[in-house]
Amino acid sequence: MTGKKVLSVAEIARELDLPESTVHYWKNRFAQHLPSVGRGRQKRFKPEAVEIFSNISRLLKEGHTARDVMDRLSQDYPLQADAVPAAPGGGANLQAVGSMDQVMTMAAAIGMEIARSVGEGIRSVLDPGSAGAPDVADIREGLEETALRISAAMQETEALKAENRELKEKLAVMEAEMVRLRKDRREMEKYLLDKIKSVST
């Protein structure tokens, strides 16, 4: 690993031999467990984040779902307070958050990150004379990155909705099966009692 104090997404992608777009998606999907500094396009990751990205890659390659990976990260790594919004009333009860709440918190963090990125892009376009204002290529790159983030967040939301629908359908099937099994049991008990009575008389 390099001796740098902080690393960009591109550097992490090169170090782990992963597509940069994949690392961009993971940095948003699992933001609350990735130690970082800065915001928006200036966001950089601390060296220990490379190990976390590597573990995310390994777990997904082993066939674990994104939710499984999130649960594993929750067990192995602390939450990063600056990656997720504070609890209402300023409380820091993030360790008690369940997996669905973690997903919602993460979605809120992604939304905030996207909003910040869009805001920075708009400010730079409206104030082109400011020091260090990006050129057209930088603006296009920023907008493309924002579009990728929005697309990834939308895909994740759709995946969660589909998973929720699938779970509801499975639950309905299981409930119907339980009702059928209870009815079968009652009928079997009645049948056996009738047989016992007919034999004993």
Side-chain angles (χ1 to χ4, degrees), residues 160-178:
L160 288 170
K161 284 181 182 176
E163 186 178 345
N164 192 30
R165 281 193 300 269
E166 186 180 330
L167 287 172
K168 283 182 179 176
E169 288 170 6
K170 287 181 180 177
L171 183 60
V173 169
M174 288 176 68
E175 287 174 347
E177 187 65 16
M178 286 294 293

Side-chain angles (χ1 to χ4, degrees), residues 110-132:
I110 291 172
M112 289 173 62
E113 185 68 25
I114 290 170
R116 273 194 294 272
S117 179
V118 170
E120 288 170 9
I122 291 171
R123 277 193 297 277
S124 67
V125 170
L126 294 177
D127 190 15
S130 63

Side-chain angles (χ1 to χ4, degrees), residues 1-8 11 14 44-48:
M1 187 160 66
T2 64
K4 283 188 159 188
K5 290 185 178 178
V6 290
L7 301 163
S8 68
E11 290 168 324
R14 280 195 299 272
R44 297 293 180 266
F45 295 91
K46 297 177 183 176
E48 55 265 35

Side-chain angles (χ1 to χ4, degrees), residues 64-139:
H64 295 280
T65 66
R67 183 170 290 180
D68 294 337
V69 174
M70 183 67 79
D71 290 341
R72 182 72 64 87
L73 294 178
S74 297
Q75 294 169 10
D76 297 343
Y77 301 102
L79 286 169
Q80 303 299 313
D82 60 344
V84 292
N93 58 348
L94 295 174
Q95 294 295 343
V97 177
S99 61
M100 194 56 168
D101 288 341
Q102 286 176 342
V103 170
M104 298 309 293
T105 301
M106 182 219 44
I110 291 172
M112 289 173 62
E113 185 68 25
I114 290 170
R116 273 194 294 272
S117 179
V118 170
E120 288 170 9
I122 291 171
R123 277 193 297 277
S124 67
V125 170
L126 294 177
D127 190 15
S130 63
D135 61 17
V136 174
D138 285 343
I139 292 169

Side-chain angles (χ1 to χ4, degrees), residues 7-18 23 45 49-50 53:
L7 301 163
S8 68
V9 166
E11 290 168 324
I12 291 172
R14 280 195 299 272
E15 187 160 331
L16 297 177
D17 196 22
L18 291 166
V23 178
F45 295 91
V50 175
F53 276 112

